[in-house]
Amino acid sequence: MKKFKKFYVEITSICNLACSFCPQTQRKANFISIEDFTHRLDEIKPYTDYIYLHVKGEPLMHPKIDQLLDIAHDKGFKVNITSNGTLLHKVKDKILLKPAIRQMNFSLHSFDGHEGSEDKEGYVRKVLDFVKEANEQTNMIISLRLWNLTQDNMTNTERNRNREILSLIENDFNLDYRIEEKVAPGSGLKLTDRVYLNQDHEFQWPDLKAPEDDGKGFCYALRTQAGILVDGTVVPCCLDGEGVINLGNVHRQPFSEIIEGERATQIVDGFSRREAVEELCRKCGYRQRFGK
């Protein structure tokens, strides 16, 4: 039986921001129900111990996030959440002490990615206050993400944009160095016990309208990860935010059958040959990270 290191269980397709780096989904706005969430966890339990509560959407928007976390804990899952962090002041009491949470990732680049954002210092301060409480009261791992570097040399404006946030982090953790001196794109910097800063280049979602390459390369889709969108659509990875590669729906078919189906098998076999068989995969730059 396959075992996935990461399994993405999208609990909402709705986000409270509209960031430039994250294409808005064309799917129906939706929140997962308690019943559907429970059913999905039962379906995937033999395949993974780690669930990620996102593909698109802001997971902290879910009005029953506390109940979802309790269900995940009862069923033995370790939960990872990626959030823009803007709603922490509203949901902190619902999530802070939940034993299900293994890791929380905060996309700090969301502030500059969302047109109209105001009070950067106030935003970062709320996130750092949560981080401090979580670090003192739980064993939660925290990753502060700034995934907005450009491939070319950054302009002074871009440097200053991140410098504001980095200065706040440096002051809060009493660092005696500038973060830029220590961290490299794609790697993490340990700020304190269980708290890390990660910087990377701006993320590009695959798009069917993008140019297609030679299709060579490798991907861990359906080897180490898979996902289920909020409507029940099974997808091979966290980058298929629109359900283009629709492997089946858990409302109509057991996950065990879907994951062993013809389309899923062809994807895995194709990447074993270093070949992307799906059109969306041939238009995904992330695949190039694993070489050809």
Side-chain angles (χ1 to χ4, degrees):
M1 181 177 293
K2 296 180 180 179
K3 272 286 189 179
F4 299 105
K5 293 180 180 178
K6 300 179 179 180
F7 203 108
Y8 296 86
V9 180
E10 185 184 66
I11 60 174
T12 181
S13 56
I14 305 169
C15 188
N16 61 321
L17 301 184
C19 295
S20 57
F21 56 81
C22 184
Q24 298 300 294
T25 180
Q26 300 303 306
R27 293 183 284 121
K28 179 182 177 181
N30 201 1
F31 289 105
I32 198 169
S33 68
I34 295 295
E35 294 73 23
D36 285 347
F37 184 73
T38 302
H39 174 254
R40 272 162 223 191
L41 295 195
D42 289 339
E43 287 281 299
I44 68 174
K45 182 57 183 173
Y47 297 90
T48 190
D49 297 317
Y50 299 91
I51 57 173
Y52 293 67
L53 301 186
H54 64 277
V55 175
K56 289 290 186 75
E58 167 53 52
L60 299 190
M61 286 190 70
H62 199 292
K64 297 181 179 179
I65 182 67
D66 49 344
Q67 295 180 50
L68 301 183
L69 290 170
D70 288 341
I71 293 168
H73 179 66
D74 290 344
K75 293 183 177 296
F77 288 96
K78 297 176 176 66
V79 177
N80 298 266
I81 297 176
T82 295
S83 169
N84 58 46
T86 57
L87 302 176
L88 282 172
H89 61 293
K90 293 183 177 181
V91 303
K92 184 187 76 171
D93 293 339
K94 286 187 172 184
I95 65 173
L96 180 61
L97 300 180
K98 292 298 184 184
I101 299 180
R102 171 187 173 270
Q103 179 169 331
M104 289 203 66
N105 308 311
F106 293 110
S107 302
L108 300 182
H109 46 277
S110 299
F111 183 91
D112 289 310
H114 178 72
E115 185 176 351
S117 294
E118 297 179 352
D119 189 15
K120 180 182 288 189
E121 182 173 352
Y123 161 67
V124 176
R125 174 58 49 205
K126 288 176 182 176
V127 174
L128 295 180
D129 285 347
F130 177 89
V131 171
K132 185 172 294 185
E133 284 192 69
N135 193 247
E136 291 174 351
Q137 301 180 43
T138 76
N139 291 318
M140 191 185 302
I141 300 169
I142 304 286
S143 172
L144 302 173
R145 294 178 171 181
L146 277 170
W147 289 5
N148 60 358
L149 302 179
T150 56
Q151 296 288 349
D152 303 319
N153 292 328
M154 286 194 296
T155 64
N156 287 332
T157 299
E158 288 172 321
R159 289 194 186 91
N160 292 337
R161 174 186 63 191
N162 280 350
R163 178 93 294 273
E164 292 178 62
I165 294 177
L166 296 178
S167 292
L168 291 168
I169 294 172
E170 290 162 359
N171 291 335
D172 210 66
F173 287 94
N174 297 313
L175 303 183
D176 58 0
Y177 57 85
R178 286 168 68 95
I179 288 174
E180 296 98 319
E181 299 170 359
K182 302 278 188 176
V183 68
S187 64
L189 174 68
K190 186 175 182 178
L191 302 176
T192 190
D193 191 30
R194 302 187 309 280
V195 181
Y196 301 85
L197 185 284
N198 296 87
Q199 284 198 271
D200 209 339
H201 297 107
E202 183 171 327
F203 178 75
Q204 295 293 326
W205 287 84
D207 189 334
L208 287 177
K209 297 178 182 177
E212 190 171 311
D213 61 22
D214 60 8
K216 301 298 182 182
F218 181 77
C219 181
Y220 289 98
L222 299 179
R223 292 177 187 269
T224 63
Q225 66 167 288
I228 304 178
L229 301 181
V230 69
D231 67 354
T233 300
V234 177
V235 291
C237 72
C238 63
L239 304 187
D240 188 1
E242 293 302 297
V244 173
I245 306 175
N246 183 343
L247 301 176
N249 193 293
V250 292
H251 291 306
R252 297 186 288 273
Q253 187 180 8
F255 177 78
S256 58
E257 292 182 7
I258 294 172
I259 206 65
E260 297 295 340
E262 182 179 0
R263 193 171 187 182
T265 300
Q266 287 177 346
I267 291 172
V268 175
D269 291 347
F271 281 125
S272 294
R273 303 189 303 269
R274 297 298 191 270
E275 175 186 343
V277 299
E278 291 282 348
E279 181 183 1
L280 187 69
C281 298
R282 294 193 295 271
K283 298 181 176 182
C284 178
Y286 204 87
R287 169 172 47 86
Q288 305 301 332
R289 296 190 179 198
F290 305 116
K292 291 189 175 183

